[in-house]
Amino acid sequence: MNEANLHDGGSVLFFKSEYIGEFVYGGIDGAITTFAVVAGAAGAGADLSWVLIFGFANLLADGFSMSVGNFFSSKAEQANFEKHKAIEYWEIEHKRASEVQEIEDIFRAKGFEGKLLDQVVEVIISNKKVWVDTMMKEELEMIKDTRKPINTALATFIAFVLVGLIPLSSYLMAIWIEIDAQLLFPISCIATGFAMAVIGYLKGFVTRANYLISVAETVLLGGLAAFLAYFVGELLGSYFS
């Protein structure tokens, strides 16, 4: 995820900045999909055991699937970057004149001209690595993601599971603590709403968007998914009962 590449060495809350993107999107998916299962089960009037069974099955299966997809996507992006980088090195060796012209065109478009343009071009083409890096960024608009795919996949999976557990929290507590069955879903709604608000705040950081708008969008999205799941669960539950 290009928007997640925040390599400033800082952090937000207790998350490393370069992995906040994975935490945000893994957390959003985990919360929404698991909450949808809970809402659908609540609408259908399912027993506590069935909510937990389907909830955990969804949590682990979807979390693993999403992290695997993230892993292969990251590897594919890095492989694609290296392929184009190799092509640029080949073009510098075999099509030098046209590559020099491309550097001139790039910096002329940035406002350089005359002797200053000549000096800039000369400095860049004197170092192949700098030359290729410049072409990758300026011509192809590609920036290498230096993060390990396994780390981004793990961040996605951990976020999915941790945040996805929140909609199930009241049902888990009901195993050990006596809680009125009528309160389980409302408690889940409140807990999930709070979790979505936190994730929305982090999403605002990742996308550089207004924090309040980001929080509102995320909470509303989760609420809409829950409403649809609850409605379908209630409809099917009444049909098959």
Side-chain angles (χ1 to χ4, degrees):
M1 302 178 185
N2 293 331
E3 65 268 31
N5 296 335
L6 306 171
H7 300 292
D8 57 7
S11 62
V12 172
L13 299 182
F14 50 87
F15 312 114
K16 286 188 175 181
S17 60
E18 61 265 35
Y19 294 107
I20 292 177
E22 277 65 35
F23 188 92
V24 166
Y25 297 111
I28 287 175
D29 202 17
I32 290 178
T33 57
T34 306
F35 190 45
V37 171
V38 171
D47 292 335
L48 172 66
S49 59
W50 286 111
V51 175
L52 293 175
I53 289 170
F54 286 115
F56 273 99
N58 168 82
L59 186 66
L60 296 177
D62 279 6
F64 181 75
S65 176
M66 187 177 183
S67 62
V68 168
N70 180 284
F71 176 79
F72 285 114
S73 176
S74 296
K75 284 185 69 84
E77 286 183 8
Q78 292 184 359
N80 186 52
F81 180 92
E82 293 301 328
K83 180 188 74 174
H84 283 86
K85 185 176 180 180
I87 291 173
E88 288 298 330
Y89 270 109
W90 184 90
E91 289 181 342
I92 285 175
E93 290 291 339
H94 298 85
K95 300 168 62 178
R96 183 181 178 86
S98 63
E99 292 299 295
V100 171
Q101 184 62 52
E102 287 181 1
I103 288 291
E104 290 181 0
D105 292 341
I106 288 170
F107 284 90
R108 182 176 293 108
K110 291 179 179 292
F112 291 86
E113 56 185 25
K115 290 184 178 180
L116 180 58
L117 174 62
D118 294 337
Q119 290 172 352
V120 169
V121 171
E122 186 61 33
V123 169
I124 291 174
I125 66 175
S126 66
N127 185 312
K128 286 184 179 180
K129 183 180 183 305
V130 173
W131 191 350
V132 169
D133 288 345
T134 301
M135 295 298 288
M136 293 295 291
K137 182 179 180 181
E138 301 294 342
E139 180 189 29
L140 302 180
E141 298 182 347
M142 298 178 70
I143 300 176
K144 185 175 182 179
D145 186 351
T146 58
R147 300 171 302 169
K148 295 181 179 179
I150 188 64
N151 289 344
T152 60
L154 282 174
T156 299
F157 181 76
I158 291 171
F160 191 102
V161 172
L162 286 180
V163 183
L165 273 172
I166 293 175
L168 294 169
S169 58
S170 60
Y171 295 86
L172 283 171
M173 289 189 296
I175 297 176
W176 298 284
I177 303 173
E178 186 174 345
I179 303 176
D180 187 341
Q182 299 297 319
L183 296 178
L184 293 178
F185 184 58
I187 293 173
S188 177
C189 290
I190 295 171
T192 304
F194 177 77
M196 294 295 287
V198 173
I199 292 295
Y201 170 82
L202 291 175
K203 182 166 72 73
F205 175 83
V206 170
T207 60
R208 311 296 188 185
N210 181 281
Y211 291 109
L212 290 178
I213 293 177
S214 181
V215 168
E217 288 177 344
T218 307
V219 172
L220 287 174
L221 177 62
L224 178 60
F227 172 78
L228 293 174
Y230 186 90
F231 174 76
V232 171
E234 185 177 38
L235 182 65
L236 294 178
S238 60
Y239 179 80
F240 288 107
S241 60

